[in-house]
Amino acid sequence: MAFELKMTVAAHDIDTNCFATPTSVIKYMMETVDRNMLSCGPTYQELMAKGLSFVVSRSAVEVLRPIKEYEELTVSTWATDSKNVSFPRSYVIKSGDETVAKGLSIWALIDTNNGKLVRGSEFSVDSYGLGEEIELSFSHRFKLPSDLSLELCGEKLIRYSDVDRNFHMNNTKYFDMLFDFIPDREKIYMSSCIVNYIGEAPLGSTLNIHMSKPEIGENGEACYYFKTEIDGKPNIQAKVGVRYII
């Protein structure tokens, strides 16, 4: 049973083409999870009081077409029974009857008292509503090819406006940050993105951002690989697919 939330693409969610930015799209999904937890329980705060915290380890998003300013959206999310220590979450964004984006995120549940991972057999997600894991048109798993050349393309200082309640860069902020480094930004839209979250980016730290040259797929999508580091330690790895606006 999916949990649904109605949203409107606001003027502050868009880019110069009046399309929802990559970070806006993932925010719609993450906000729906938060409202699902708030409505059905246990909430994030209730879990924290018990010494438990969900941490996202991977996000994969597929955008089927650009989402336009003022579009009325229905965002759905549901949980899937845990696979060992992984807790999958699925998402669908619709405009009317049309599916405009899909997503999948993989979460870990941490015991904050000892830092250990909680297994699915030890925690039930039934109250959030269950369903089958969504299928994307690509695998949500990826590794950076060992022979891939990535060059330093920039850096980012993590400021107060970037962080969440844990004083680390919010997972949704990475999408716009990566997209801004891709050429012809005003002529393209993000059609897919996979982010593997490896390490945290604390307030005041500096990310070194490395990017590959594009690979053009058979479907015409151009894919860029990224990795970010803090003092030589891995932060994220990502694969971003883009298409030209027609």
Side-chain angles (χ1 to χ4, degrees), residues 26-205:
I26 190 70
K27 277 185 175 180
Y28 300 152
M29 296 179 180
M30 294 298 106
E31 178 65 17
T32 306
V33 171
D34 189 64
R35 296 298 184 91
N36 181 201
M37 296 176 72
L38 186 63
S39 175
C40 301
T43 67
Y44 180 88
Q45 292 78 9
E46 289 168 344
L47 290 174
M48 286 294 291
K50 296 179 180 178
L52 299 172
S53 179
F54 275 113
V55 177
V56 65
S57 61
R58 184 185 307 126
S59 291
V61 176
E62 180 175 6
V63 179
L64 304 178
R65 67 153 173 84
I67 302 173
K68 302 172 184 176
E69 184 180 21
Y70 304 132
E71 277 201 76
E72 300 289 339
L73 305 176
T74 301
V75 188
S76 304
T77 185
W78 61 93
T80 300
D81 282 329
S82 171
K83 299 176 180 178
N84 199 3
V85 293
S86 297
F87 292 81
R89 268 275 184 178
S90 298
Y91 312 87
V92 171
I93 300 180
K94 288 190 173 185
S95 177
D97 293 328
E98 180 189 7
T99 297
V100 293
K102 300 187 288 185
L104 178 68
S105 58
I106 306 298
W107 300 75
L109 185 60
I110 308 294
D111 186 327
T112 58
N113 297 307
N114 55 30
K116 292 183 178 180
L117 296 173
V118 177
R119 295 181 176 275
S121 58
E122 302 171 305
F123 182 86
S124 173
V125 294
D126 290 6
S127 63
Y128 299 132
L130 296 177
E132 294 295 320
E133 184 175 300
I134 197 166
E135 291 188 10
L136 306 177
S137 67
F138 53 88
S139 173
H140 66 87
R141 298 179 178 87
F142 91 98
K143 290 184 178 180
L144 290 178
S146 58
D147 59 347
L148 185 67
S149 175
L150 294 95
E151 296 183 359
L152 182 67
C153 61
E155 62 179 32
K156 176 176 175 56
L157 174 64
I158 308 304
R159 300 183 181 275
Y160 193 81
S161 59
D162 296 315
V163 301
D164 55 23
R165 71 184 83 198
N166 298 311
F167 288 85
H168 301 128
M169 185 166 171
N170 188 282
N171 68 83
T172 64
K173 298 293 184 74
Y174 288 97
F175 286 71
D176 278 355
M177 181 192 75
L178 298 176
F179 198 37
D180 282 343
F181 285 99
I182 296 177
D184 290 338
R185 173 66 180 82
E186 72 283 359
K187 299 178 182 178
I188 58 176
Y189 71 96
M190 185 195 77
S191 48
S192 65
C193 188
I194 311 169
V195 179
N196 292 331
Y197 302 97
I198 302 168
E200 297 164 334
L203 176 65
S205 61

Side-chain angles (χ1 to χ4, degrees), residues 16-28:
T16 56
N17 292 304
C18 297
F19 297 152
T21 67
T23 282
S24 294
V25 175
I26 190 70
K27 277 185 175 180
Y28 300 152

